[in-house]
Amino acid sequence: MNNIQAGILAPVPRLARYLSFSLRTEPSPAHCLQSLNDSVDVSEAVIGLGASLVQALGKDIAGLHNFPGHSGPGLDVPATPMALWCWLRGSDRGELVHDTRAVAQALSPAFALVKVIDAFEYRDGRDLTGYEDGTENPQGEEALAAAIVSGRGAGLDGSSFVAVQQWVHDLDHFQSLDETQRDHVIGRRISDNEEIADAPKSAHVKRTAQEDFAPQAFVLRRSMPWADASEQGLVFAAFGKSFAAFAALLNRMLGRDDGIVDALFRISRPVMGSYFWCPPGKDGRLDLSALGL
């Protein structure tokens, strides 16, 4: 575990900031990426690199590609490719502001900060709907097997692939439903977090039962609620040894295999979707040897 970015496996923090960066055409990003690596402790942050950044460095990471957008009757799952993603973790919002400034400065002038999302822990790790989040997360060795690359050699082992989506909740609509209807959207009772055996097939839990796939589609969820002055929702982050498990889950949610769309789309919509490769960690820094850095 010494070669893993620690925040991937650690519990979700009290507060967080998600930073998304685009890549400028000039100068080369290599120097700025090294500057970031010198200034950021990966025990306090998780860093992900997008396909465009890896390509700009003249390298290839097998399995890394851009998030594919999707659309269907009455729903859209947008693709918003970014060059670099940073999940800043902490317990003091002021410190996160200063950390944001430090990251942006380290990455300038090759990168532009295009999106900042402030996130937080709600109650005991719940979504803003009030339901527990990540109940079926794998633990211990199973979490490692699901989320962390192994057997691919130095510079790759200990890395992870992360799918990141920002979801906007329609809480007014959700709260207009009675408790049974809400439970049937999620597929669990809010009262005790137990799965509902006779919930509709469209219930989110039934759509995303990770053990029901072949092969099983386990991911390590590290999602957090977010809110601004006008909207609120969830930043969904799913870490995997590849993107395959997440892609299978999303296809099932969209009803690609049986025509049943996840009921979650009735009360929430994604507005961002990106894929990143999270390099291994080494002595509190990123191991960028796979990129020749």
Side-chain angles (χ1 to χ4, degrees):
M1 290 176 58
N2 292 333
N3 66 338
I4 300 169
Q5 292 192 51
I8 296 173
L9 298 176
V12 170
R14 183 63 183 161
L15 296 172
R17 262 193 163 192
Y18 298 91
L19 314 179
S20 296
F21 292 84
S22 64
L23 191 62
R24 302 185 191 276
T25 54
E26 296 289 345
S28 168
H31 177 74
C32 293
L33 193 57
Q34 289 175 320
S35 177
L36 174 70
N37 204 21
D38 290 338
S39 59
V40 173
D41 185 342
V42 296
S43 66
E44 301 295 333
V46 176
I47 307 295
L49 312 182
S52 63
L53 173 54
V54 172
Q55 292 167 8
L57 294 168
K59 301 295 181 179
D60 176 67
I61 298 297
L64 176 62
H65 55 87
N66 283 328
F67 184 98
H70 302 273
S71 63
L75 60 88
D76 287 294
V77 180
T80 55
M82 294 290 170
L84 186 144
W85 173 77
C86 181
W87 176 24
L88 295 176
R89 304 158 45 83
S91 57
D92 185 307
R93 188 170 183 182
E95 292 297 334
L96 290 174
V97 170
H98 288 301
D99 290 344
T100 300
R101 295 177 60 248
V103 170
Q105 184 176 13
L107 290 172
S108 178
F111 295 81
L113 178 60
V114 296
K115 191 173 185 66
V116 177
I117 305 173
D118 285 301
F120 49 88
E121 184 181 34
Y122 176 51
R123 295 183 178 174
D124 54 349
R126 294 174 183 261
D127 178 65
L128 288 174
T129 58
Y131 289 80
E132 291 187 25
D133 184 63
T135 299
E136 297 296 327
N137 257 344
Q139 303 294 324
E141 292 298 320
E142 292 180 349
L144 286 170
I148 305 301
V149 173
S150 64
R152 289 177 55 179
L156 295 174
D157 287 355
S159 67
S160 184
F161 295 87
V162 63
V164 183
Q165 290 181 294
Q166 181 184 17
W167 289 73
V168 176
H169 292 349
D170 186 346
L171 292 180
D172 289 339
H173 172 61
F174 188 67
Q175 291 171 357
S176 74
L177 305 176
D178 63 40
E179 186 170 303
T180 297
Q181 291 174 314
R182 296 178 200 172
D183 286 350
H184 282 178
V185 168
I186 305 300
R188 292 183 182 275
R189 291 191 297 268
I190 196 169
S191 59
D192 58 11
N193 200 39
E194 291 296 320
E195 288 192 33
I196 302 170
D198 60 350
K201 293 181 179 180
S202 61
H204 180 58
V205 167
K206 289 196 171 183
R207 293 279 84 195
T208 58
Q210 298 170 103
E211 66 278 5
D212 288 350
F213 292 78
Q216 294 182 337
F218 281 97
V219 296
L220 184 63
R221 292 177 55 135
R222 289 291 185 259
S223 305
M224 297 186 72
W226 69 274
D228 60 23
S230 59
E231 295 181 316
Q232 56 281 311
L234 185 76
V235 177
F236 175 84
F239 291 89
K241 60 186 178 183
S242 73
F243 296 125
F246 169 78
L249 292 167
L250 182 57
N251 281 332
R252 179 73 60 83
M253 289 177 66
L254 292 166
R256 293 283 171 80
D257 52 354
D258 58 8
I260 300 172
V261 175
D262 196 311
L264 189 66
F265 287 104
R266 292 172 51 196
I267 58 99
S268 191
R269 59 186 173 88
V271 295
M272 182 190 106
S274 306
Y275 278 165
F276 302 97
W277 174 67
C278 301
K282 183 178 181 180
D283 300 326
R285 298 289 182 258
L286 302 176
D287 178 358
L288 300 175
S289 59
L291 302 176
L293 300 176

